[in-house]
Amino acid sequence: MSRVVRFERWGGPDVLRVVEVPARRPDPTEVRVTVRASGVTAGESAAREGALAELYPRAFPAATGSEFAGVVTDVGSRARRFAVGDEVLGWSPEQGGHADAVVVPESSLVRKPASVSWEVAGALYVAGVTAWTCVESTGVGDGDVVLVVGAASDVGTLVVQLARLCGAEVVGVAEPVHHDWLHAHGADAVTPADAGALARVVHERAGRVDVVVDTTGADVEHLAEALEVPASRCVATLPLEADLEFGPVAPRRAEVLAELVDLLAEDRLHVPIAGAFALDDVVEAFATAERPHRQGRIVLLP
């Protein structure tokens, strides 16, 4: 038997339950992984509340968990990339990562370096690939000035770092408690304000803005207009996070994830962890993630 997180109706964290289900063997091109860590994401919260029901219909009982890291314990007859005992991280196309074990296609896994912690590896896929997509789709390059709204969010934290690695200057919009972190990662920092006030402050600090990345659901169009940034160089992360299965990076997800892992292993990218919870404490984990908390990801440790 396997222990998995499921829900049978739309609602808050309290609808989540840990239940036992029959364990299944991998199909020929699949791999079974014992999960060591799995991130809690904003997209999963929105899906559980029914906010994405029209876009992505789901049948009940529904599982949760987009991302995970763990140890390979079984491989399908035609799976060749991994062996029992390999440490891996990746994503679950069936949203089954909040569990003590998960069966996934071998194509949705990459190797985990020993130097990357389980917590960080298990919380990398959604925020990492979303942040990568933001930076790539807006063409961030050397000398650009990038404004990141929600710079201390799960995705914003990584956008800041990836943009800096591209040679861009970064202005991060975040509450004052996060300004020291932004400064330590080479970014300027401003406090949230209405679009007009924010545009004036940013112009005073940077002179110009070339790219706007919004991770908060703010009025990015109004802000971009005030900053005279073309629409092609503005992006909001919420639709991207909800659309990783079909978005522009979808065919290259494993490649992008592997590159992010390399940056982690080289200590050039950091994923802050705000808290870790046992699988049985999944309700508390989601409740913590959905209210204001210190910067960093919330993860489950089955």
Side-chain angles (χ1 to χ4, degrees):
M1 300 294 285
S2 292
R3 302 176 73 242
V4 303
V5 176
R6 288 186 172 177
F7 61 99
E8 298 190 0
R9 57 185 173 88
W10 308 125
D14 58 300
V15 304
L16 298 171
R17 297 287 184 271
V18 179
V19 300
E20 289 193 348
V21 299
R24 75 173 180 91
R25 291 291 307 278
D27 288 340
T29 58
E30 292 182 323
V31 173
R32 181 178 173 86
V33 179
T34 294
V35 178
R36 295 290 185 86
S38 181
V40 170
T41 74
E44 289 156 357
S45 294
R48 187 203 64 236
E49 292 168 351
L52 306 177
E54 290 189 10
L55 190 60
Y56 305 113
R58 303 182 74 176
F60 293 124
T64 70
S66 304
E67 58 192 11
F68 64 90
V71 180
V72 174
T73 53
D74 196 4
V75 297
S77 60
R78 296 203 304 270
R80 298 287 183 267
R81 295 178 54 222
F82 303 99
V84 172
D86 285 347
E87 296 183 351
V88 296
L89 67 146
W91 68 93
S92 170
E94 297 180 355
Q95 299 287 307
H98 294 158
D100 60 10
V102 62
V103 176
V104 296
E106 66 170 352
S107 59
S108 67
L109 297 172
V110 302
R111 296 186 184 278
K112 184 189 85 67
S115 60
V116 177
S117 73
W118 288 116
E119 291 88 345
V120 167
L124 179 62
Y125 168 69
V126 172
V129 175
T130 302
W132 181 287
T133 303
C134 290
V135 171
E136 182 179 78
S137 66
T138 53
V140 175
D142 189 30
D144 278 337
V145 178
V146 180
L147 178 68
V148 183
V149 184
S153 69
D154 294 346
V155 176
T157 293
L158 297 181
V159 171
V160 167
Q161 296 176 75
L162 292 174
R164 290 288 297 143
L165 288 172
C166 290
E169 298 178 33
V170 175
V171 180
V173 182
E175 296 295 340
V177 68
H178 301 302
H179 287 190
D180 285 347
W181 184 92
L182 287 167
H183 294 151
H185 286 78
D188 197 359
V190 297
T191 302
D194 65 78
L198 184 56
R200 288 192 296 273
V201 171
V202 172
H203 273 309
E204 291 170 1
R205 295 286 188 91
R208 75 175 200 280
V209 173
D210 302 297
V211 176
V212 176
V213 178
D214 167 46
T215 77
T216 67
D219 186 359
V220 67
E221 293 182 0
H222 187 189
L223 179 58
E225 182 179 350
L227 291 167
E228 300 180 339
V229 178
S232 62
R233 306 206 76 189
C234 298
V235 64
T237 65
L238 296 181
L240 287 174
E241 182 174 337
D243 202 27
L244 289 182
E245 293 294 316
F246 308 102
V249 175
R252 298 187 291 115
R253 282 175 294 172
E255 174 190 341
V256 169
L257 186 58
E259 293 197 35
L260 292 167
V261 169
D262 287 344
L263 292 173
L264 286 171
E266 296 165 3
D267 201 32
R268 299 172 66 198
L269 185 70
H270 304 103
V271 178
I273 302 297
F277 295 80
L279 192 66
D280 286 328
D281 296 326
V282 62
V283 172
E284 183 181 355
F286 268 93
T288 300
E290 292 169 19
R291 61 177 178 254
H293 60 275
R294 68 185 182 91
Q295 183 183 14
R297 298 299 310 281
I298 301 297
V299 295
L300 292 169
L301 305 179

